[in-house]
Amino acid sequence: MSFRTLGVLAAVTSLLAMAGCGSPAAPAGDPAEAHPAASSRSSAAVPGSPTESVPTRPNIVFVLVDDLSMNLVQYMPNVQKMQRDGTTFTNYTVTDSLCCPSRASILKGQFPHNTGIVKNHGSDGGFRLFHSRGQEKSTIATDLQAAGYRTAFLGKYLNEYFPKKTMGTGKPYVPPGWDQWFGGGNAYDNFDYDLNENGQVKRYGKKPQDYLTDVIAGKAANFISTTATTGQPFMVEVSTYTPHSPYTPAPRDEKLFPGLKAPRTAAYDKVPAGSAWLPPNLKLTKDQARRVDEEFRKRVQSVQSVDRMVGTLRDTLAKSGVADDTVVIFSSDNGYHMGEYALPSGKQTAFDTDVNVPLIVAGHGVGAGRSVSSVVANIDLRPTFTDLAGAPPSPECDGRSFKTLLSGDAPADWRHATLIEHHDPATDPKDPDFQYDSKNIPPSYDAMRTERFTYIEYVDGTREYFDRKTDPYMLTNVAGTLAPERLAELTTALHGLATCVGADACGKASRAVS
């Protein structure tokens, strides 16, 4: 359903209400009162430009899942329907294959070397560091709220966020920018968890109806339907713990896909030739291979609840009459390897299994059935959201809006490469991403990923270069065959990306190599 065009006064008021990315959050109280022009879906011509109109500002529904790899999409019919209805980005790359650094990059639109979040917890990562650095004062949420959107968050926020913590506020802490907040803590099992529900902590148990993915799906659907009646644009992020380990499926899904095994791709149980860090004779043990198959089956079972949620949210948009005025985004914080490269279940590597994850967008203004190969990264989500909302990007963002790519227009100056950072690996057993089944975790590295190749420099000075056009499974490191001039070019370009600050500098660095 499209909303009627409002008058000139509403257009001017709406424009004045839009604040730049990084502006302070809206005043407390009724969101509609705080943003008098928030109900404007589209507006009339700006004075002096009678033939021009302000574009519709669509609602935004962002579904962010945890550790979902590309090979799970084939088991998700509602997500596949999103692909048919919308646009799939085949070269979407995360800044770090680790939960908290990636999620911080999404919230801030910045690389980890600028957020300062490189781990899930401790002195160089986690929610407490993010909070203590004042990072929450300027995020996707504050941007959209300042632009007149009603905002909601449901599910997993950042590692080390716990619903009962007050952070000095005197009550369970709710980050700025969110009109509705349903934040979880250490809820990876999807049962027996707390939710901070707008400053009140509620305990959920072990009953089937307590399954967390289902709970936040229902709350998100209610937020959509109630907000749609007001005409105010909205943004909701639904962030699941699924399918992160222990890969707990909803009770009704736990017997599905009997006998299913992890894919035996060309990379399964095979160490890349010339690997800079993996032992050349490494092989999965029988127990590791058995666990990989069991865990893959549980992951497929567990994402059924995510897939139903996607269907529920899109159905709710349609029933509420706002499907045509909404952009739906589906993605993951990082990928996951399961048997590839002779590694049991885990992440943190620069292999595509871990860093190249789904990004699927459908809805208002999005081309249907399209596939885009342009290199897009999670630092681009924040500036894209503000662009959709009609607000300028924050000057602190390293990424840029990919809004034009949604309609099929590829800018001539789009990036050639993006950066992957991995520093201070997750080797603490207290870390939820600690890999119990393997000591083979890559050392710290910086990597550069283009449409064609992945180039990696490790902390010890070793290098890897994989030509993914001729070697799609990344099984042969050919860094040693490159000319010195080419290696020097790659090193310079990678250093530029690894030290860039801001969209202009990072954009220039991203085009320094092809």
Side-chain angles (χ1 to χ4, degrees):
M1 177 182 72
S2 299
F3 287 73
R4 294 182 179 179
T5 302
L6 301 180
V8 170
L9 179 61
V12 175
T13 307
S14 178
L15 287 170
L16 292 174
M18 294 181 193
C21 212
S23 299
D30 188 299
E33 292 179 4
H35 304 284
S39 63
S40 174
R41 309 296 305 152
S42 60
S43 52
V46 177
S49 303
T51 62
E52 298 181 5
S53 63
V54 178
T56 298
R57 300 192 298 147
N59 308 307
I60 300 169
V61 175
F62 179 33
V63 177
L64 180 66
V65 293
D66 199 343
D67 289 6
L68 187 134
S69 49
M70 286 283 197
N71 57 16
L72 294 181
V73 172
Q74 62 184 307
Y75 301 99
M76 306 177 75
N78 285 298
V79 173
Q80 290 177 310
K81 187 176 188 305
M82 272 191 68
Q83 289 182 309
R84 294 191 296 272
D85 295 342
T87 295
T88 299
F89 292 84
T90 58
N91 278 306
Y92 178 67
T93 306
V94 297
T95 53
D96 191 327
S97 182
L98 202 59
C99 294
C100 200
S102 177
R103 289 167 181 265
S105 287
I106 291 170
L107 287 167
K108 299 293 293 181
Q110 294 177 313
F111 287 118
H113 67 262
N114 289 326
T115 67
I117 307 299
V118 298
K119 284 184 68 177
N120 288 333
H121 73 305
S123 61
D124 53 0
F127 161 71
R128 288 182 293 180
L129 179 62
F130 192 79
H131 177 76
S132 68
R133 290 168 59 94
Q135 302 277 42
E136 294 172 294
K137 296 177 182 178
S138 173
T139 65
I140 280 180
T142 61
D143 293 347
L144 272 292
Q145 193 180 68
Y149 278 59
R150 188 169 190 241
T151 60
F153 181 91
L154 306 99
K156 179 179 177 178
Y157 183 45
L158 297 172
N159 297 75
E160 289 192 323
Y161 172 87
F162 296 105
K164 293 181 181 179
K165 293 290 185 180
T166 65
M167 309 310 293
T169 64
K171 61 181 180 180
Y173 177 72
V174 175
W178 302 103
D179 295 305
Q180 292 289 301
W181 177 262
F182 300 90
N186 190 21
Y188 293 97
D189 192 51
N190 276 271
F191 289 108
D192 278 334
Y193 59 90
D194 292 328
L195 278 186
N196 178 341
E197 302 189 353
N198 297 312
Q200 300 291 322
V201 177
K202 181 177 179 180
R203 182 70 181 174
Y204 290 80
K206 295 184 177 180
K207 296 178 181 178
Q209 59 266 32
D210 292 327
Y211 187 73
L212 179 56
T213 304
D214 294 342
V215 169
I216 61 177
K219 292 181 182 297
N222 181 65
F223 173 83
I224 290 170
S225 59
T226 54
T227 308
T229 63
T230 69
Q232 181 179 357
F234 59 83
M235 186 274 282
V236 55
E237 178 178 339
V238 192
S239 179
T240 72
Y241 288 80
T242 310
H244 193 289
S245 63
Y247 328 108
T248 306
R252 61 186 180 276
D253 299 322
E254 60 188 10
K255 293 184 179 180
L256 298 177
F257 306 99
L260 183 65
K261 294 184 177 182
R264 265 52 172 178
T265 68
Y268 184 83
D269 203 19
K270 188 172 183 179
V271 174
S275 174
W277 61 279
L278 283 168
N281 298 320
L282 183 66
K283 287 290 181 182
L284 295 170
T285 67
K286 288 184 179 180
D287 283 344
Q288 286 175 330
R290 176 186 55 79
R291 282 194 293 272
V292 162
D293 287 336
E294 178 183 343
E295 290 166 356
F296 182 78
R297 182 168 61 254
K298 290 181 69 175
R299 280 167 59 81
V300 173
Q301 292 169 343
S302 70
V303 297
Q304 301 312 301
S305 61
V306 175
D307 190 64
R308 280 193 296 270
M309 180 178 71
V310 170
T312 295
L313 297 180
R314 296 190 74 196
D315 286 347
T316 302
L317 292 168
K319 292 176 182 177
S320 300
V322 293
D324 292 340
D325 295 300
T326 303
V327 174
V328 182
I329 300 100
F330 176 86
S331 192
S332 178
D333 57 359
N334 51 253
Y336 211 64
H337 55 257
M338 303 198 76
E340 295 93 347
Y341 314 107
L343 294 170
S345 305
K347 47 194 175 182
Q348 305 187 60
T349 79
F351 294 124
D352 271 5
T353 51
D354 297 7
V355 300
N356 177 214
V357 301
L359 176 64
I360 303 163
V361 186
H364 177 85
V366 182
R370 295 180 58 249
S371 178
V372 174
S373 63
S374 301
V375 176
V376 174
N378 51 354
I379 57 170
D380 300 327
L381 290 171
R382 182 184 180 186
T384 300
F385 285 18
T386 55
D387 194 7
L388 290 169
S394 166
E396 72 180 358
C397 291
D398 299 327
R400 62 181 289 187
S401 172
F402 57 80
K403 178 182 175 182
T404 57
L405 293 173
L406 295 174
S407 57
D409 181 16
D413 63 346
W414 192 257
R415 69 168 62 89
H416 301 158
T418 192
L419 174 70
I420 305 157
E421 302 184 57
H422 173 71
H423 302 286
D424 202 355
T427 55
D428 185 343
K430 295 179 181 179
D431 193 317
D433 290 321
F434 177 72
Q435 295 174 195
Y436 290 91
D437 211 12
S438 174
K439 296 181 179 180
N440 291 300
I441 299 171
S444 296
Y445 64 78
D446 287 321
M448 182 167 53
R449 187 177 184 279
T450 72
E451 288 187 41
R452 182 180 181 102
F453 68 82
T454 299
Y455 174 68
I456 312 157
E457 290 188 357
Y458 294 93
V459 67
D460 62 0
T462 56
R463 300 168 170 175
E464 291 178 333
Y465 182 102
F466 297 98
D467 185 336
R468 301 193 323 276
K469 291 295 183 183
T470 60
D471 179 23
Y473 289 99
M474 304 175 70
L475 292 173
T476 305
N477 171 23
V478 297
T481 70
L482 300 178
E485 296 80 10
R486 177 60 170 169
L487 284 173
E489 178 189 26
L490 292 168
T491 295
T492 299
L494 179 56
H495 177 75
L497 276 171
T499 58
C500 70
V501 179
D504 289 342
C506 292
K508 182 179 179 181
S510 76
R511 297 187 295 273
V513 71
S514 58

